[in-house]
Amino acid sequence: MSVSLEQARRIADASLVKGRELGLKPLSVVVVDPRASVVVTLSEDGCSQMRQRIALGKAKAAIQLGLGTRALMKRAEEQAYFIQSINGLAGGEFVPVPGCVLLRDQAGTLLGAVGISGDTSANDEAAALSGIAAANLVGETGCFFAHPCKLRHA
């Protein structure tokens, strides 16, 4: 299974709407399927040049290791050499920074990932979760129970 084009469009559009509601800096949203192939990418007017590539790097990182980027950042802090090696294998396109959420259906099946870049990592993640909720899907941030959020967000 994979995120559909209709779902991906709904996620991207709703994520950008949430960004405007929160007054965030211009965002770039990338929705990928379970193979890390791009389904939808949208960048707002005024978005800086690298934002789309950063959002894609976050999405690829999450899909490639099967973890939300919040968990990947924790791993990068604890195992920098491992993450550096993975980034080398990924051709430098592995961005283990919060702002990407794994995308699952209600049964827990992995459908893809939503990577966002443009504002702080926490705000990027909040916009992604809002977009995912608008599509009636489930987002998995990769946060741990010591963190105030839940492991999975409906």
Side-chain angles (χ1 to χ4, degrees):
M1 282 195 81
S2 176
V3 62
S4 70
L5 177 59
E6 180 182 336
Q7 290 169 319
R9 284 181 174 172
R10 184 173 299 128
I11 291 165
D13 287 338
S15 295
L16 294 179
V17 167
K18 185 63 170 182
R20 290 310 96 234
E21 288 174 4
L22 296 174
L24 304 184
K25 294 175 185 171
L27 300 176
S28 187
V29 180
V30 176
V31 181
V32 299
D33 68 15
R35 299 175 307 121
S37 294
V38 174
V39 179
V40 166
T41 184
L42 293 175
S43 294
E44 292 182 296
D45 293 344
C47 207
S48 63
Q49 188 176 10
M50 288 293 292
R51 292 301 175 183
Q52 186 274 339
R53 291 181 63 193
I54 294 167
L56 180 58
K58 289 178 181 183
K60 285 183 174 185
I63 288 293
Q64 289 166 344
L65 285 187
L67 296 169
T69 51
R70 185 167 295 282
L72 290 175
M73 183 169 165
K74 182 171 174 40
R75 188 138 188 211
E77 290 167 348
E78 295 171 355
Q79 298 177 315
Y81 290 114
F82 173 75
I83 295 297
Q84 183 179 6
S85 297
I86 295 297
N87 193 27
L89 290 172
E93 294 183 347
F94 188 92
V95 181
V97 177
C100 179
V101 180
L102 290 175
L103 179 58
R104 297 185 183 275
D105 65 15
Q106 297 298 329
T109 304
L110 181 67
L111 301 177
V114 180
I116 298 183
S117 182
D119 207 273
T120 67
S121 293
N123 286 339
D124 293 345
E125 187 177 87
L129 288 169
S130 183
I132 291 167
N136 196 30
L137 296 170
V138 177
E140 184 178 327
T141 63
C143 62
F144 296 96
F145 293 116
H147 188 272
C149 66
K150 296 176 185 172
L151 182 60
R152 290 179 59 185
H153 300 273

